[in-house]
Amino acid sequence: LVLVVPRSEGQDKEKSAADARSAQTEKAMTPLRVQVSFTEFDGEKKIGNLPYTFLVNADDRGARAAVRMGLRVPIEASSSNTGVKQIQYTDVGTSLDGRAEKTEDGRFLLMLSVEKSSAYLPGANEKPASVGGNEISSAQPTIQQFRTQVNLLIRDGQTIQSTVATDPVTGHVTKVDVTLNVIK
């Protein structure tokens, strides 16, 4: 005696079609190495280079990749009511946040948020800080800040100069270069 049980082919076809659709809408993550370099110039003379490298998974829907590097600078503050002097700390350094998505043509849309700050305190032989011709005279440090958010369309192995900015206090020019490499 043989018992034949009919298969429900309609249900199997629907399930496999749904699996195929979800696989198409979900892109596979691609590990990327991102290097962000801050190069500072005084006129034509290169006076500094600060490279930062971090990893980003393209098409990862989790938290953004992030790097924080810096220190806390003590700044003396006095209360106008009591005249009591207090020390407050200000963060200076570099913060990088990134996310990436792979495009259909194989390039990557790299979304970067970049922040760099430093303390400027003129020495005895240096000119006082000035912004727009207005001199800033203080025994306290002046905090220089640089922030940018960029969306770069970049391919594997490419370097793009994303930003060029001039510090209004020193006149130094900062160039930001971004390099992306797929980790294989």
Side-chain angles (χ1 to χ4, degrees), residues 98-116:
R99 178 179 300 280
E101 295 176 6
K102 190 170 186 176
T103 63
E104 289 187 20
D105 65 359
R107 294 184 293 177
F108 296 90
L109 175 59
L110 182 61
M111 295 153 279
L112 284 177
S113 176
V114 177
E115 184 173 331
K116 181 178 165 290

Side-chain angles (χ1 to χ4, degrees), residues 15-184:
K15 185 177 179 182
S16 63
D19 289 344
R21 278 191 301 262
S22 73
Q24 287 175 345
T25 58
E26 232 180 84
K27 295 179 183 178
M29 285 192 289
T30 305
L32 307 172
R33 178 176 292 113
V34 177
Q35 182 176 43
V36 178
S37 294
F38 296 89
T39 307
E40 190 172 350
F41 294 88
D42 185 4
E44 295 296 316
K45 182 182 175 189
K46 180 178 172 180
I47 58 174
N49 184 42
L50 297 172
Y52 298 88
T53 301
F54 62 107
L55 303 180
V56 176
N57 289 322
D59 299 314
D60 183 356
R61 297 295 174 218
R64 295 171 60 104
V67 173
R68 304 286 183 266
M69 182 66 185
L71 51 101
R72 301 196 65 161
V73 176
I75 297 177
E76 192 176 284
S78 60
S79 171
S80 59
N81 297 338
T82 63
V84 176
K85 293 186 179 187
Q86 298 176 342
I87 300 293
Q88 295 179 347
Y89 288 86
T90 300
D91 291 327
V92 295
T94 304
S95 296
L96 304 168
D97 294 285
R99 178 179 300 280
E101 295 176 6
K102 190 170 186 176
T103 63
E104 289 187 20
D105 65 359
R107 294 184 293 177
F108 296 90
L109 175 59
L110 182 61
M111 295 153 279
L112 284 177
S113 176
V114 177
E115 184 173 331
K116 181 178 165 290
S117 61
S118 57
Y120 175 78
L121 185 61
N125 297 332
E126 296 179 23
K127 65 180 182 176
S130 67
V131 177
N134 298 318
E135 191 174 296
I136 301 171
S137 57
S138 172
Q140 298 298 316
T142 301
I143 306 298
Q144 177 268 347
Q145 291 187 320
F146 168 82
R147 289 185 195 135
T148 187
Q149 290 188 339
V150 293
N151 295 326
L152 304 173
L153 197 54
I154 187 169
R155 68 180 175 277
D156 182 23
Q158 185 178 9
T159 299
I160 294 177
Q161 190 171 84
S162 69
T163 309
V164 177
T166 303
D167 184 321
V169 173
T170 63
H172 294 169
V173 174
T174 299
K175 297 181 180 182
V176 181
D177 294 313
V178 179
T179 304
L180 180 137
N181 294 102
V182 173
I183 299 172
K184 298 176 182 173

